[in-house]
Amino acid sequence: MSTKATVTPAIRQTKGGVQSVERAFGLLDCIANSSGSATLSHIAAEANLPLPTIHRLLNTLVNLGVVRQLPNRGYALGPGLVRLGNLAGQQLGAIARPYLRTLVQELGESANVATLDGDMVVYVDQVSSQRQMRMFTEVGRRTHMHDTGVGKAILAQLEPEQVRSIVTTAGMPTPTEYSIGTIEELEAELERIRERGYSIDEQEQELGVRCFAMSIPDAPAPLAISVSGPISRVDQAFADRAIPMLREAAEQISREMNGGA
């Protein structure tokens, strides 16, 4: 019986890359994909590297503060990543902000940009509507992915196994009667999102609020932008105007993030 060598997704080598750096980031990915902490045996199984190499890399990462060792001898993401993550989020928000402003000016409703953060979605920037009754989301807020427009837009771009891992770990609470409560319902919704190219939060987070969202193609991290407002204003006529504007904004943000290519 023949055997076929496999390369684990945690450690992948890129053309012209520095092997030790790729391996170190692979270990960080492995820990991150295990909800932020992992045992040494799990890391060794996922990384497919010699144990002395794993020990050496982990010790270096611990000394740098980007990994910390747990009392049970496992490893977790360290506080050194928090500052880097915050700065990265701010920079992503800064790139998107001019386009969010344009959406608000043209559509009159609040606009957001959010990214994947472990098994949740985190809002990295918002430009609020100037209307008296408007939607406000605190920058830095983390929320579930299955019942938000931005979260579903991001999930629709991920592999089915990753989607199931995320919602299994985070859970699927149903804050309103419109919220999706099962993986089967979510998978059907994600297929609809892929077909039409955008997602809808149909009062799933908060009654009376509707949101249209779209993922940003070829972003360096999973990202999505959205516009949201009360259902009395965010209706089908609004969608007919908003969807092309969201698509254009997503494409422009993508080009800017990729150096204008």
Side-chain angles (χ1 to χ4, degrees), residues 89-242:
Q90 291 170 12
Q91 290 175 353
L92 291 175
I95 291 174
R97 191 169 303 125
Y99 304 101
L100 300 184
R101 287 199 189 103
T102 298
L103 288 171
V104 174
Q105 289 168 1
E106 295 292 330
L107 297 169
E109 304 295 346
S110 299
N112 304 280
V113 61
T115 188
L116 178 65
D117 182 21
D119 53 21
M120 305 284 275
V121 65
V122 61
Y123 291 88
V124 297
D125 203 11
Q126 179 187 70
V127 176
S128 295
S129 167
Q130 297 303 304
R131 296 175 184 262
Q132 185 174 5
M133 185 171 67
R134 63 183 183 270
M135 310 322 301
F136 176 78
T137 300
E138 183 179 359
V139 173
R141 177 189 174 211
R142 298 175 76 248
T143 187
H144 288 85
M145 303 188 70
H146 71 285
D147 57 4
T148 58
V150 287
K152 291 190 293 183
I154 290 173
L155 286 177
Q157 307 305 310
L158 303 180
E159 294 296 327
E161 295 80 8
Q162 189 175 1
V163 172
R164 284 181 169 265
S165 175
I166 286 171
V167 297
T168 299
T169 302
M172 299 183 70
T174 53
T176 80
E177 61 187 285
Y178 298 97
S179 305
I180 294 173
T182 69
I183 292 179
E184 291 73 22
E185 289 176 306
L186 178 62
E187 289 176 334
E189 173 69 2
L190 296 182
E191 184 58 34
R192 288 190 288 269
I193 292 169
R194 295 183 192 104
E195 290 175 357
R196 67 180 177 233
Y198 62 91
S199 66
I200 308 172
D201 170 0
E202 187 59 70
Q203 306 186 72
E204 296 164 52
Q205 265 280 307
E206 185 177 348
L207 289 174
V209 176
R210 184 175 288 129
C211 169
F212 294 97
M214 191 171 296
S215 64
I216 296 174
D218 303 317
L223 286 170
I225 56 173
S226 68
V227 288
S228 59
I231 58 174
S232 59
R233 297 196 304 254
V234 180
D235 53 13
Q236 186 57 52
F238 177 90
D240 293 340
R241 296 173 55 224

Side-chain angles (χ1 to χ4, degrees), residues 8-22:
T8 66
I11 308 292
R12 64 179 186 274
Q13 189 168 352
T14 59
K15 185 177 181 180
V18 179
Q19 188 180 63
S20 59
V21 175
E22 291 174 344

